[in-house]
Amino acid sequence: MALLTPCTNACSNLTRYGRSIDGGYQMCQDVLRPPHGLAAAFSLGIKGRDSWGNAISRALGIPVYEYDCYNTNPPASVSGADLHFEPTCVGPVDEVQPDGRRFRSVETLVAASVPRREPSASRQRSDLLLKMDVEGMPVCRSTLLRVQPKGTDV
């Protein structure tokens, strides 16, 4: 998980994205206001619904890549949201378990989902946002991080 860099800025303005109960998350608006520099977001562990993904995509104008291998129902997308669902879970290694569930590492998910930028592309939209709400993983539940693809300048 060396790919992940936590956002450490002090936050003076929290905004909730998504539902007011399970599925919504407070995020630091200080780092999300334009120009936010985000190219895409990842939503891991959605349970067949993703109000956070819908809200983030619409508010920030970015695609959201959603993953869940326990509930493989694609979530409903609202008008103006750019959602991409895959029945896959995050894990330490890429593997298919005996029960047929597919797991992929964060590095693999990022590499497979986010188009490679041209070297001359603008540096302003290179960060990726990760929302992780998965049970049984050795990471903090509902962790919000910035993801920096390998080989990408900050």
Side-chain angles (χ1 to χ4, degrees):
M1 292 253 190
L3 180 70
L4 304 178
T5 305
C7 297
T8 56
N9 300 349
C11 185
S12 63
N13 183 11
L14 288 173
T15 300
R16 186 171 193 88
Y17 288 87
R19 296 173 33 173
S20 62
I21 53 174
D22 188 32
Y25 302 88
Q26 286 193 352
M27 300 183 58
C28 185
Q29 195 63 28
D30 298 347
V31 297
L32 296 179
R33 71 172 64 111
H36 52 68
L38 295 170
F42 289 77
S43 186
L44 309 178
I46 61 168
K47 299 179 192 167
R49 60 186 189 276
D50 192 9
S51 64
W52 179 86
N54 276 301
I56 284 293
S57 181
R58 289 181 67 193
L60 303 181
I62 60 175
V64 175
Y65 299 94
E66 306 164 311
Y67 302 92
D68 198 322
C69 68
Y70 289 93
N71 184 330
T72 59
N73 297 316
S77 178
V78 299
S79 178
D82 183 8
L83 306 181
H84 306 270
F85 175 73
E86 186 178 317
T88 300
C89 281
V90 65
V93 296
D94 298 349
E95 67 178 348
V96 176
Q97 295 192 341
D99 63 5
R101 288 191 176 103
R102 183 170 62 165
F103 284 75
R104 294 167 77 186
S105 69
V106 171
E107 291 86 352
T108 298
L109 295 177
V110 169
S113 301
V114 178
R116 294 280 181 221
R117 295 184 315 129
E118 295 297 321
S120 61
S122 170
R123 301 172 83 192
Q124 294 180 356
R125 293 182 62 92
S126 62
D127 287 336
L128 306 172
L129 181 65
L130 171 66
K131 184 276 298 174
M132 187 180 301
D133 187 350
V134 294
E135 287 73 27
M137 290 295 298
V139 294
C140 297
R141 187 170 188 260
S142 305
T143 303
L144 296 169
L145 304 167
R146 274 200 175 152
V147 180
Q148 185 62 41
K150 290 179 181 175
T152 303
D153 293 346
V154 183

